[in-house]
Structure formats: structure tokens, C-alpha cells
Amino acid sequence: MAHIITRPCCNDGSCVAVCPVNCIHPTPDEPEFLTAEMLYIDPETCIDCGACIDECPVDAIVPDDQLEASDEPYLQINADYYKDHDVDGGLVKHPKAPKLPDGEELEVAIVGAGPAAFYAAEELVKKRQVKVHMFDRLPTPYGLVRAGVAPDHAKTKGVESTFAAVEKKANFTYHLNVEVGVHVTVDELRERFGAVLYAGGAAHDRRLGIDGEDLPGSIAATDFVAWYNGHPDHADRTFDLSSERVVIIGNGNVALDVARILVTDPEALARTDIADHALDALRQSAVREVVVMARRGVEHGAFTNSEFLSLSELDGVDVVMPDELVLSDEAAAAEADDSIDSVMGTKIRLAREFAEKSVGDAPRRIVFEFLTSPTAIVGDNDGVAKIQYVRNKYVDSSSIEPTGETGELDAGAVVRSVGYRGRAVDGLPFDDQRAVVPSDDARVLDRPDGERIPGLYVAGWIRRGPTGGIGRNRYCGEEAAKAVLADFANGELPSPSTSVDDLEELVASRGGKRVDLGGWKAIDGVEKAAGKAAGRRRIKLVSVAELERAAGEGA
């Protein structure tokens, strides 16, 4: 018997260090870890000790004889990885931490409360000499784990337990509902803290650059996801779901999340923590078909295999593949002699399995259109009417060019899901070309390829761009924390000129209503109590006013 890693895997990596035979890969020490879809257990090496199970924050690891039917494909997915990867025995070795100066304390401000911020905080609060103050403009923490992870992926949200353990530490303080740049500036933080770590993410949508992109009914996936997850900035939005067909441009995990939410039976969603306003709208939705449009072939799908596989679990939904799955010549040749990359090969295999299934009379369906690029969104002030496109062909293994074959699809809405983008942060340098804060080893630079600014650090998507999920952000957050500790150990941090003691007064003088740990726990309690009464994980409060009231009642 062996253990198997299944869909909820968040690439957190906690399981790696406790494995006595090093059978879980890729490890944080391997370059592939930074881009891996998930982690994999080698069934030939696993000794069934179970050490990894307790470490997994999202319950993704299961003995192979206890797999549910829906998770059985992960037997092959885990094994597939080791077709072209080797396993070496032994534990992962970690470098020795630097010795911090005796008798000195360091106060660190972390701006942002998502995964990268928390993993940095987790590393920092291990040191009693270090006090962490975490700021976020919302009254609630956890960033995209709360407002980005799809509501029907509850196990992935289990990583919140790791964050909850950090926030309870005596050397950790919340400053929620405090907006840096409004209630306190970056310069004012630098005056009060020896180190300021910015981990605010990249929550804005990338543009397509085609005609009609700003028509009513042309929707940024970033807005739609935030809406159905109850983000306060988007709770008052309305989306026209009165058409039978929606086209999604893009084929990453977010695109598949949106497609899945649009076609899932609302009564199934009613058991999740989806925002009530979104649930009401989906109950009235006329959407019966979602078309997922991708520029390249299936082997280059930006979605992970676990997200792709999860579509097979949808009740009452047909997944429709093109009559012929078009691959690059190189991918087709590699597939023929079984030399194709294992992750890419699994994508192709899953797509073929979908294609081989007969399409029945399911009330809803998801249709994939590969090698297809949008050229214009057509409509008027009343909304979107259709989308025009061009077919593509491969020039080489990864490059494409238009074929000249064009067409159009009737659609009542178009969801643009081609990635996230960072924006400039008041008080910090910004690289407009890459849309990130310029940095070197997490240390902020005054310009791209410029000089380091002592005491300023960056982590997460705003550091490296919007790539990678929770596991990549753990690595990135830990890396930033280690940079802070190394600079503290080497005496390279500036000394604060002002005490942190006036922060609460300063924030209040500018209209801020700070929410501390007690306030967040009060909000959490209200939401969970409402959810328990309704048989749900939680029912989210979706306005800042509601959240402030709940926090105040717990004060």
C-alpha cells in the first residue's frame, strides 16, 4: 500500500520534510517546485508510514486503499510523474538559520494578509525577538484563500488552519481594516518598523487589447471570482446571466473555476460558503453552455491536471472536447513514443478520456475550443451579443500563428480570464513593464536593476508576477522572511525613529476603524454560526459595515 496526493494539494510542502524516504516530489530544493501543479508521491518508494498525513494542511494525502471513487485517477497521476523523475533517499536538508543579535528586538510590518504574507509571518514569529504586525485594508484576513479559492474547493481552504495558528502567537498583531496609503503611509511604517514587507498581491485583471472589451457583459474574471466569493469591493456588482451561452477567454485554473461555478447545480453550491447574493443570481441563471477558448492546444493548457479532472465530477454537466484534439507536431510525436513530459502527457490523456465519453443530454455543458483566439467582442450598450475569433496553427512546438479561418459565436457574456496584474503601490518603486515591485532576493530595489532600499522587502505575486499558487507563495514568503532575518543578523536594517505605540491613534485620526485579532475572531464566529445553522461552512458577511459591526460586537 502507498499514500496518494489528491486534488486539494496546495504545494505547501510541509509533507516533504517529514518523509523519511524522500518519496514526495518536487521538493522546495528542486527548481521544478516553483512551477509544479502539485506534489506527487512515488508509489514504489512510499513505505506507508503516514507521517505526511498529519502535516498536510488541506487533507490531500490519502492511503491508496481509502481513496474515494472520484480520487482514484490520482493513483495514475502520482505514478505518471515518476515516469521521468527519479527519487533519491534521505531527508531534505535545510540550511542553518543565522544567529540573531543578543538582546535586540525587531518589529516587522507585513502589508497584506494572504498566503505569502502568512508564510513569511510564520517564519518570523518563530523568533521571539521578532514582533510581526500584519496590515490589510479589509476587515478579514487570508487574501485569495478567502476571496479567490472557489467555494466548492473547501479542502483547499483548509490551509487557513495554518494561518490561524500563526495569528495566535504572542508576537503577532493584526491591523485589519487599515489601508496602507490611506490610514498610514509606507514612509510612516518605515519610521516605526525595522523592516517593512509588502505582500499585497496582484489582484487586477490583464487586458485583451481587442475591440469591445469594455462592453457591458464583458467581465473580468478577477471581478467575477471576487463577486461570488463575497469580496466587499464586489458585493454590489450584478452580472447578466440571462443568456444560454457564456464564453470564457483563457484556460487557466481561474477560467475552469468560473466555468464550473456557472454550470454547477446551485443547490450543490448552496452547501458551500459561496456569497448569498451570487447564489441567488445563479439560481436565476439561464446559462446552459460555457465555452472555454484557448489560444494553443490542450497540451499547453494553463489549467492544472487536478482542476481539469475535477470537471469529471460535475453532476448534470457534459464536458465536450473538439472532434480532433489538435497537438503540436512535437507533442504528438512525443506522445506516440511515450517520451512526452509526464504532466503534459497527463493533460493529453485526460482530454482524450473526456473526448471518448459520449455526450448525452445533460442540462448543462462545458465546451473546449483549442487553438482559437478572440479578435473582437461585438455588442452595444445593452451588452454583449457575440464574440469573433480566428483559428490558430502551430509554427513550432509552442508558437502559433493565425490560419485565416475566422468565425463567431453568439454569447450573452464574455469572461476575460487571461491573468492577474499588479499595480503600483504608493511609496514603493514599480516596474511598469513587469508590473511588479523590483527586487533582488526579496529585497526591494529603487528601480529595476537598481540599488537596494534597506529595510524594504516584497513577497508573493507583487514580487514575481501572478504565477504559482499557495505552495509557491509559501516558498516566496519564507524566502522573504529569511532575507529579513539575515539582514537583522548582519546589522543591515535601519533603526526606527518613532515608536509603533501611536499607530492605533494615527489610524483613527484618519478615519480608520482597526480590527484586531479579537475583532476577526468575532467576525469568524458570526459567519460560522450562521453557516452551521444553514448546514454550510460559513455564511460570509460581504460589506465592510457588516464586518465592522460584527468585529465591534466582539470587542
Side-chain angles (χ1 to χ4, degrees), residues 63-76:
D64 61 9
D65 63 350
Q66 296 179 28
L67 285 171
E68 296 182 6
S70 60
D71 286 332
E72 286 185 359
Y74 286 95
L75 284 164
Q76 188 63 47

Side-chain angles (χ1 to χ4, degrees), residues 163-241:
F163 304 160
V166 174
E167 68 192 12
K168 293 176 184 176
K169 298 292 185 181
N171 53 341
F172 179 95
T173 302
Y174 267 139
H175 300 270
L176 302 174
N177 210 31
V178 175
E179 185 170 0
V180 175
V182 175
H183 302 126
V184 60
T185 67
V186 171
D187 286 342
E188 287 168 338
L189 291 180
R190 295 185 66 195
E191 291 169 359
R192 290 163 174 79
F193 293 91
V196 178
L197 169 58
Y198 194 88
H204 306 282
D205 67 293
R206 289 180 57 194
R207 303 284 291 176
L208 291 171
I210 62 174
D211 290 342
E213 190 168 5
D214 295 315
L215 285 171
S218 172
I219 305 162
T222 51
D223 295 342
F224 195 73
V225 169
W227 170 75
Y228 66 61
N229 273 315
H231 192 294
D233 290 352
H234 301 268
D236 293 333
R237 293 287 303 271
T238 58
F239 297 102
D240 185 356
L241 304 178

Side-chain angles (χ1 to χ4, degrees), residues 47-301:
I47 61 173
D48 193 30
C49 68
C52 55
I53 292 179
D54 291 337
E55 294 299 318
C56 180
V58 295
D59 298 327
I61 305 177
V62 184
D64 61 9
D65 63 350
Q66 296 179 28
L67 285 171
E68 296 182 6
S70 60
D71 286 332
E72 286 185 359
Y74 286 95
L75 284 164
Q76 188 63 47
I77 288 175
N78 277 249
D80 281 350
Y81 181 80
Y82 292 94
K83 288 180 178 179
D84 55 1
H85 292 80
D86 294 324
V87 175
D88 296 319
L91 291 170
V92 174
K93 296 179 180 179
H94 299 284
K96 187 176 181 180
K99 186 180 185 304
L100 302 185
D102 293 332
E104 293 186 31
E105 288 190 346
L106 172 64
E107 303 217 53
V108 180
I110 298 180
V111 182
F118 263 101
Y119 286 124
E122 181 183 33
E123 193 74 15
L124 291 168
V125 296
K126 292 175 183 176
K127 312 296 182 182
R128 293 189 177 185
Q129 294 167 252
V130 180
K131 295 181 179 179
V132 172
H133 295 249
M134 184 172 285
F135 295 78
D136 197 276
R137 70 183 184 86
L138 294 179
T140 55
Y142 306 162
L144 285 180
V145 174
R146 177 180 171 97
V149 174
D152 58 344
H153 283 355
K155 285 187 176 180
T156 303
K157 295 174 185 279
V159 74
E160 291 176 359
S161 62
T162 298
F163 304 160
V166 174
E167 68 192 12
K168 293 176 184 176
K169 298 292 185 181
N171 53 341
F172 179 95
T173 302
Y174 267 139
H175 300 270
L176 302 174
N177 210 31
V178 175
E179 185 170 0
V180 175
V182 175
H183 302 126
V184 60
T185 67
V186 171
D187 286 342
E188 287 168 338
L189 291 180
R190 295 185 66 195
E191 291 169 359
R192 290 163 174 79
F193 293 91
V196 178
L197 169 58
Y198 194 88
H204 306 282
D205 67 293
R206 289 180 57 194
R207 303 284 291 176
L208 291 171
I210 62 174
D211 290 342
E213 190 168 5
D214 295 315
L215 285 171
S218 172
I219 305 162
T222 51
D223 295 342
F224 195 73
V225 169
W227 170 75
Y228 66 61
N229 273 315
H231 192 294
D233 290 352
H234 301 268
D236 293 333
R237 293 287 303 271
T238 58
F239 297 102
D240 185 356
L241 304 178
S242 61
S243 173
E244 288 195 0
R245 179 185 289 142
V246 171
V247 174
I248 300 175
I249 301 170
N251 68 336
N253 282 352
V254 173
L256 266 58
D257 281 346
V258 172
R260 201 176 58 254
I261 293 298
L262 284 169
V263 298
T264 295
D265 183 348
E267 299 317 307
L269 293 174
R271 298 190 291 271
T272 73
D273 66 356
I274 191 169
D276 280 349
H277 57 256
L279 184 60
D280 291 342
L282 290 167
R283 281 175 167 148
Q284 304 300 316
S285 170
V287 176
R288 295 296 177 266
E289 179 178 286
V290 176
V291 177
V292 178
M293 189 173 287
R295 293 175 60 248
R296 296 193 290 173
V298 62
E299 80 274 22
H300 292 296

